[in-house]
Amino acid sequence: MTVFVDLYTDADTFLHRLDPRVKIVAVVLLSLLALIIGNLVHLLVLLAFVLLLLALGRATLSKTVFALKFVFRIMVMIVVLWPIFDPSGTPVLAELGPVKITEPAIWKGVAMAVRVCCLATVWYILMFTTSQRDLVRGLVKLGLRFDFGLALAIALRFIPTFGVTVESITDAQRARGLELDKGAPLRRSKNYVAVLVPTIVSALRTADMLSLALQSRAYGARPDRTYLRDLKMRWTDALALAVVVTIFAIPAIAKYLLDASL
Amino acid sequence: MRALEFNDVSFTYKGSGSKALEGVSFAVNKGEFITLLGRNGSGKSTICLMSNGLIPHALPGALEGAVRIFGQEVRERSVAEFSKSVGIVFQEPESQLFCMSVEEEVAFGPENLAVPREEIGDRVEWALELVGMKGFNDRSPFSLSGGEKQRVAIAAALSMRPEMLVLDEPAYALDPVGRFELYSVLKELKQKHGMTVVLAERDPEEAVAFSDRLLLLEDGKIAGVGATRNVLRDPQKLSSLGIAPPQLSELAALLNSRLPGESFSFLSVEEAERTLSEDFFAQGRARRA
Ligand SMILES: Nc1ncnc2c1ncn2[C@@H]1O[C@H](COP(=O)(O)OP(=O)(O)OP(=O)(O)O)[C@@H](O)[C@H]1O
Ligand SMILES: [Mg+2]
């Protein structure tokens, strides 16, 4: 049972080396940009840029497809459903009772799908070029409270442990004759209770132990905690940040200050 | 000043009907290596958890008597304060490592104590080297073997530069290789660094080779305490307390019962080999000659 796969792919590319703070800020800005832009051509330009980044981070095809499979399905759904539910604009291409298919609605649907693709890819790039450790470190350095960062790190760190627990409990219950893949859906989900309850008990036990371990290592002893590893902005990081801010600022200014339609 | 002092200590966990410890008194001197032995539920963990204040601060209950840790009464200081002088390692390797890399794990304690950055770096390297985990800095603790995890847990405690290390059945979940690696580290801590160590064990096989004293527990009470060699002279007593006597002390007892006048006692295979070849076989050869 695959509960979770860490998307991070170890490699030594420009994007991997980039300061996680810059990457987080860039991803947020590019996401906002994808939301600001409505024009299909502009969205395609943005998508091209995002795909360029994907290539720059040397994403492997199989992992990318795996991570974005779900997104592709949503995109198809948007393209198909948007024109059915949006009757605005002319020319009307087809009319079937209350359903009116118009040409602008088709293009809007495509644009929306491209937007979703941009958003998903941008976040995927962050996840596959940044280790969880750097991600949490970046968030804390950007102002996330240390205890929230620690909670996030612990959650990420324990996902695989949790997966192993679920697996061994499932095996143990199967060995006792529990049938998880047979029977009607309701019955099946009832059977899963036999896995769920021991899993929760085990998770609570682990949480208790963790709390003892944290306290024993002086957690929360001082407000002025130090950090062994600090993040340092290099000139390449600053440059990358400047580029992204510019890419964001030009369309944003055009739209909100100059009232251009994008 | 003693490292640890229990004076007529009794403890009942909150919500529990029976005493986990009853009238326990003992003391640990600085630089001493003491091993607590006892079967399931005899109170080993309770003593360990009391040695850095987790009982009664994190695990409440009715505590009677006095527990002093480097002279400080346990109720009067917080766990965070005791953590500067006492490091603790638990039984479960999985649930005491919570960072995403070995390095962060070992740095976590000193970071919380606001140790300057350069010094944390030095301490991390020192501690990882001591436990034989140098170069594992960027590995995820999850990806390590059980023995490696426990050694990282020891390094994470040592990096806080404690004066005393408490280990609660650290070898419990380990395979023979993991056990061997772990005990090598404990031996080195004792022999090279003179660390004060409190070790809880169900199986004394490996630990007797470097324990100064053994403390036997039964149902929350002390059933015996003394220098390792003296306690091991009576393997039957260990058996009656549900503790498997080390094979070497059974061998010594067997030899002593068959050979009137001999009083062998072996704490390590090397010692047994030396004594037997020098003393025993030499005599036999002399007799035959
Ligand atoms: N959190 C708790 N709440 C209530 N009772 C507890 C708790 N922890 C331990 N006890 C009880 O206290 C007694 C001593 O337990 P302790 O865990 O100290 O023994 P132990 O020697 O460490 O055993 P083991 O070898 O199983 O680890 C036992 O009777 C146990 O049931
Ligand atoms: Mg115990």
Side-chain angles (χ1 to χ4, degrees):
Chain A
M1 191 188 291
T2 330
V3 182
F4 176 86
V5 178
D6 187 358
L7 292 178
Y8 179 68
T9 318
D10 203 16
D12 190 26
T13 73
F14 172 72
L15 286 182
H16 283 81
R17 284 190 300 267
L18 209 56
D19 187 314
R21 284 172 296 185
V22 173
K23 276 190 271 191
I24 294 167
V25 170
V27 163
V28 169
L29 289 182
L30 290 175
S31 302
L32 285 177
L33 198 56
L35 294 174
I36 289 174
I37 300 175
N39 178 307
L40 177 61
V41 177
H42 294 164
L43 275 169
L44 284 172
V45 173
L46 182 64
L47 182 63
F49 176 66
V50 170
L51 292 178
L52 187 75
L53 291 181
L54 197 62
L56 201 63
R58 263 187 247 134
T60 56
L61 190 65
S62 58
K63 205 160 186 180
T64 309
V65 169
F66 170 81
L68 298 179
K69 211 167 34 189
F70 182 65
V71 177
F72 294 145
R73 258 181 245 154
I74 291 187
M75 284 167 64
V76 172
M77 265 165 65
I78 292 174
V79 171
V80 172
L81 295 179
W82 195 277
I84 297 178
F85 289 99
D86 181 1
S88 64
T90 47
V92 179
L93 298 180
E95 211 167 342
L96 245 155
V99 180
K100 219 164 61 170
I101 309 285
T102 69
E103 196 187 309
I106 290 179
W107 291 120
K108 256 195 217 161
V110 173
M112 189 53 87
V114 173
R115 174 182 284 169
V116 167
C117 186
C118 284
L119 284 171
T121 312
V122 155
W123 285 91
Y124 169 63
I125 292 172
L126 176 68
M127 300 309 283
F128 94 83
T129 62
T130 319
S131 67
Q132 294 175 349
R133 163 166 59 148
D134 283 345
L135 206 57
V136 172
R137 205 178 268 163
L139 286 171
V140 169
K141 282 285 159 187
L142 282 172
L144 182 72
R145 274 177 47 180
F146 172 72
D147 33 359
F148 290 178
L150 182 66
L152 178 63
I154 290 178
L156 291 171
R157 151 78 180 79
F158 273 89
I159 286 168
T161 310
F162 199 65
V164 172
T165 310
V166 170
E167 221 165 278
S168 57
I169 290 174
T170 309
D171 286 347
Q173 299 291 48
R174 277 216 178 100
R176 289 180 195 158
L178 182 77
E179 289 181 329
L180 288 172
D181 341 280
K182 282 192 192 153
L186 186 69
R187 210 203 138 83
R188 236 190 289 172
S189 54
K190 249 182 165 169
N191 284 348
Y192 265 102
V193 172
V195 174
L196 195 65
V197 171
T199 305
I200 291 174
V201 170
S202 145
L204 289 177
R205 257 183 51 95
T206 305
D208 275 347
M209 274 305 305
L210 264 175
S211 130
L212 295 185
L214 280 164
Q215 292 181 58
S216 308
R217 295 215 250 133
Y219 175 62
R222 298 178 56 145
D224 57 339
R225 171 180 214 283
T226 50
Y227 295 84
L228 172 59
R229 297 271 175 233
D230 207 6
L231 297 172
K232 274 208 195 71
M233 285 273 267
R234 290 154 306 170
W235 68 268
T236 41
D237 296 314
L239 187 68
L241 186 61
V243 169
V244 171
V245 168
T246 312
I247 290 177
F248 172 74
I250 291 173
I253 289 171
K255 175 155 183 172
Y256 292 107
L257 295 182
L258 309 176
D259 270 339
S261 94
L262 293 169
Chain B
M1 187 180 39
R2 301 286 182 81
L4 186 64
E5 209 173 339
F6 276 56
N7 210 329
D8 199 16
V9 175
S10 298
F11 183 75
T12 311
Y13 285 95
K14 196 173 167 184
S16 157
S18 56
K19 287 187 172 176
L21 289 185
E22 203 173 342
V24 168
S25 300
F26 72 98
V28 181
N29 289 315
K30 283 187 187 174
E32 192 177 25
F33 194 122
I34 187 165
T35 299
L36 315 178
L37 292 171
R39 65 157 75 94
N40 276 351
S42 57
K44 304 181 295 292
S45 297
T46 307
I47 290 181
C48 289
L49 293 167
M50 236 175 240
S51 310
N52 78 338
L54 283 170
I55 292 178
H57 295 295
L59 297 164
L63 173 61
E64 295 160 57
V67 177
R68 268 186 287 277
I69 303 159
F70 292 101
Q72 301 287 356
E73 164 60 35
V74 70
R75 277 165 279 219
E76 286 167 11
R77 294 276 184 276
S78 68
V79 177
E81 278 174 88
F82 285 126
S83 71
K84 287 176 226 168
S85 45
V86 186
I88 189 161
V89 174
F90 300 100
Q91 179 175 324
E92 298 267 331
E94 198 48 58
S95 45
Q96 56 185 318
L97 302 178
F98 41 78
C99 293
M100 287 190 279
S101 70
V102 166
E103 179 180 272
E104 283 172 288
E105 201 68 62
V106 181
F108 187 79
E111 285 179 341
N112 286 328
L113 295 173
V115 173
R117 175 172 304 154
E118 297 73 40
E119 195 185 329
I120 299 178
D122 293 345
R123 287 190 189 190
V124 168
E125 290 311 312
W126 168 80
L128 285 179
E129 163 120 56
L130 203 157
V131 301
M133 291 292 288
K134 208 176 158 72
F136 280 69
N137 302 43
D138 289 326
R139 287 279 294 275
S140 157
F142 178 70
S143 71
L144 303 177
S145 75
E148 289 168 341
K149 280 181 188 153
Q150 287 301 57
R151 285 184 287 146
V152 170
I154 294 177
L158 290 178
S159 65
M160 300 174 76
R161 295 280 164 120
E163 291 183 70
M164 174 166 78
L165 192 62
V166 178
L167 304 106
D168 187 4
E169 295 191 57
Y172 180 71
L174 304 187
D175 60 10
V177 176
R179 291 180 73 95
F180 175 78
E181 294 166 344
L182 178 90
Y183 288 111
S184 314
V185 170
L186 295 186
K187 191 168 164 183
E188 181 172 336
L189 275 176
K190 160 74 187 157
Q191 292 175 347
K192 272 205 201 139
H193 300 268
M195 175 72 85
T196 311
V197 179
V198 176
L199 171 68
E201 280 289 352
R202 215 171 294 188
D203 176 2
E205 188 75 40
E206 290 97 340
V208 294
F210 41 87
S211 299
D212 297 314
R213 272 196 304 154
L214 302 180
L215 186 133
L216 309 178
L217 286 163
E218 186 180 36
D219 297 332
K221 297 188 206 68
I222 292 184
V225 60
T228 304
R229 206 175 283 279
N230 294 337
V231 174
L232 291 184
R233 273 187 217 286
D234 192 357
Q236 269 168 6
K237 175 160 188 181
L238 293 182
S239 305
S240 75
L241 297 173
I243 307 160
Q247 293 178 18
L248 286 170
S249 52
E250 288 195 299
L251 171 68
L254 186 70
L255 288 173
N256 294 343
S257 70
R258 296 281 169 84
L259 301 166
E262 291 291 357
S263 75
F264 288 116
S265 99
F266 314 124
L267 296 183
S268 66
V269 176
E270 294 76 37
E271 186 187 359
E273 195 185 352
R274 193 168 1 96
T275 321
L276 289 178
S277 59
E278 277 173 14
D279 179 43
F280 182 55
F281 292 127
Q283 277 178 30
R285 233 176 282 129
R287 233 175 286 144
R288 253 178 276 122

